[in-house]
Amino acid sequence: MLGCYDFCGYYEATFQWLEERGGEELLHEYWLEAISKDSQRHARDLILGRGADGMMEYWGHTLNEESPDQGFSMSREGDVVRIDMHDCPSKGFLLRNGLEQYRDYCDHCIGWIGPLMKDAGYVIHHEHNHCGQCWWEFHKAENPSSPSDIGKLAKKDVRLTEDWKEHCKKLDAFFNAQSVLEKKTEP
Amino acid sequence: MPNFPLPYTDTKPQGAADFYFAINATFRFLYERLGRKAWIAYLEHLARGYFRPVNQAWQRGGLPSVASYWKAFFDAEPGGDVKVRASPDEVVIEVRECPAIAHLRRSGRAIVPYYCEHCAILGAARAAEAGFSMNLFGGNGSCRHVYRRAGELPPQNPADIKEVVPC
């Protein structure tokens, strides 16, 4: 039986299997059809129906379930929602267990969240450092603004932490994005 | 490998049940997009690759390690009602309530009818790697997994596996 305790381990192996079988195109189709539209339909219903309120409810529940130690924080200012991930439970599981089949596990998040936000009328600012830290801002697509200044929107802004500074040698960044294909790698 | 019977460990004692949504959705995608043979190939790939540390532990530790793995496995799954019985010749896992099927049903998800087959495909492939044989009986929310030494069980009879039906 496939269980949920070590789900992230074989989920990550699934990305590699799919890419070997059908290339990046098949993997992105999987994130869209299987994850964004099927598995995470509860997120889709909440966010398409209630916008920023739905985001707060969805991630408030799911991050608490996946990360009871509160390795994250959520902030909101009007229609802008921000998530700071200090200790990603999912990537952390992979790092602790030495699991790495696919080249960038973190891409799966924007792989399923990007199309959802596009349908909900939002754009995404996001960076991840491949070490279990990332941040997200969701802005209305009709009125997008730049990412918030460091520490302005969130007291627990991950960009203020030593972990972020230490591990930000190679950041994957997305600005005003709605798809995993819009990645910019820094530096 | 540590003494802990699960090869991959987390900081929390149990997994998040909503991941069952993704397992079900992944099966649906692979089966409908790539076909049944590809879905089986995917499960066998995981069985021989991702689960290699478990298979190796089973090979080293024999049936007692099969039993201790499944006890730890179901302890780490949220919900469900499962008993693991071990004797010198076999390990029987009595799944009175499957945690995955129960959570998917409670959440109103459309479960793929072949969901329970994955336990047989994965279980038999992992057992074969470790020198055992495995059969599954039942499904649709409750079932029985039997592990014995290689050659002591017949090939899986597909008729012994129930489809998942909508409630």
Side-chain angles (χ1 to χ4, degrees):
Chain A
M1 176 179 168
L2 292 177
C4 60
Y5 176 76
D6 65 335
F7 169 80
C8 301
Y10 57 82
Y11 185 47
E12 191 260 352
T14 300
F15 302 165
Q16 184 64 20
W17 186 86
L18 281 166
E19 191 176 63
E20 284 173 7
R21 195 157 188 112
E24 205 174 55
E25 195 175 315
L26 180 64
L27 177 59
H28 293 175
E29 186 184 338
Y30 166 71
W31 287 334
L32 171 64
E33 298 296 335
I35 306 303
S36 187
K37 292 185 178 175
D38 187 347
S39 169
Q40 302 307 98
R41 64 175 47 182
H42 52 307
R44 185 165 278 270
D45 289 347
L46 278 170
I47 295 168
L48 263 60
R50 296 173 47 218
D53 287 341
M55 293 178 207
M56 296 299 286
E57 183 173 334
Y58 168 70
W59 274 295
H61 163 76
T62 199
L63 289 178
N64 201 41
E65 189 176 58
E66 289 181 41
S67 179
D69 296 335
Q70 299 283 312
F72 67 95
S73 76
M74 292 181 67
S75 319
R76 180 178 175 183
E77 193 171 275
D79 282 325
V80 177
V81 171
R82 180 179 172 91
I83 298 171
D84 286 277
M85 184 59 74
H86 293 253
D87 184 11
C88 174
S90 185
K91 181 65 179 174
F93 177 88
L94 300 178
L95 289 169
R96 282 191 300 277
N97 287 289
L99 292 167
E100 186 178 332
Q101 297 281 311
Y102 183 65
R103 63 179 177 278
D104 190 356
Y105 175 79
C106 302
D107 274 354
H108 88 271
C109 269
I110 199 160
W112 75 265
I113 295 169
L116 163 56
M117 289 300 166
K118 183 178 182 183
D119 291 345
Y122 283 80
V123 293
I124 298 168
H125 302 314
H126 164 66
E127 288 182 309
H128 62 251
N129 71 356
H130 310 92
C131 295
Q133 288 90 38
C134 67
W135 63 267
W136 298 78
E137 285 185 15
F138 307 110
H139 293 238
K140 281 271 195 187
E142 66 211 26
N143 186 26
S145 48
S146 301
S148 64
D149 291 337
I150 295 174
K152 182 174 178 287
L153 191 56
K155 285 180 186 168
K156 292 186 176 177
D157 192 320
V158 73
R159 295 170 293 180
L160 292 166
T161 65
E162 289 305 314
D163 274 349
W164 183 262
K165 291 170 191 165
E166 186 180 336
H167 295 303
C168 70
K169 306 286 188 292
K170 181 176 173 259
L171 290 176
D172 281 356
F174 301 78
F175 297 111
N176 290 308
Q178 293 177 322
S179 161
V180 66
L181 296 172
E182 297 173 69
K183 180 192 287 197
K184 296 171 179 60
T185 301
E186 302 170 349
Chain B
M1 184 177 157
N3 288 330
F4 191 66
L6 299 179
Y8 309 117
T9 57
D10 204 352
T11 53
K12 53 185 182 291
Q14 289 193 322
D18 285 359
F19 284 141
Y20 293 131
F21 299 160
I23 297 168
N24 185 48
T26 298
F27 290 172
R28 186 171 7 253
F29 178 82
L30 296 177
Y31 206 104
E32 292 180 3
R33 177 70 173 75
L34 301 174
R36 179 177 171 81
K37 279 186 181 173
W39 176 63
I40 292 171
Y42 161 75
L43 292 169
E44 291 178 341
H45 171 79
L46 291 183
R48 296 181 185 121
Y50 176 75
F51 287 106
R52 183 176 294 124
V54 183
N55 305 337
Q56 290 171 338
W58 289 359
Q59 198 168 30
R60 285 195 303 270
L63 286 170
S65 73
V66 175
S68 64
Y69 169 82
W70 285 113
K71 282 176 188 166
F73 176 91
F74 282 106
D75 283 347
E77 295 300 298
D81 179 4
V82 180
K83 300 289 177 216
V84 178
R85 289 189 286 110
S87 68
D89 295 323
E90 68 176 12
V91 173
V92 178
I93 302 147
E94 295 278 359
V95 182
R96 297 170 185 171
E97 182 182 62
C98 171
I101 299 290
H103 184 70
L104 288 162
R105 283 204 166 120
R106 272 195 306 271
S107 305
R109 296 301 178 113
I111 308 171
V112 294
Y114 43 86
Y115 192 97
C116 299
E117 282 187 70
H118 97 268
C119 283
I121 296 163
L122 200 60
R126 291 166 62 183
E129 291 289 300
F132 298 104
S133 46
M134 181 268 186
N135 280 176
L136 178 72
F137 302 90
N140 193 32
S142 61
C143 64
R144 186 161 47 94
H145 305 216
V146 179
Y147 285 81
R148 289 190 190 168
R149 292 178 191 86
E152 292 184 2
L153 286 170
Q156 176 72 49
N157 180 355
D160 287 335
I161 305 174
K162 287 185 188 172
E163 279 196 350
V164 178
V165 294
C167 285

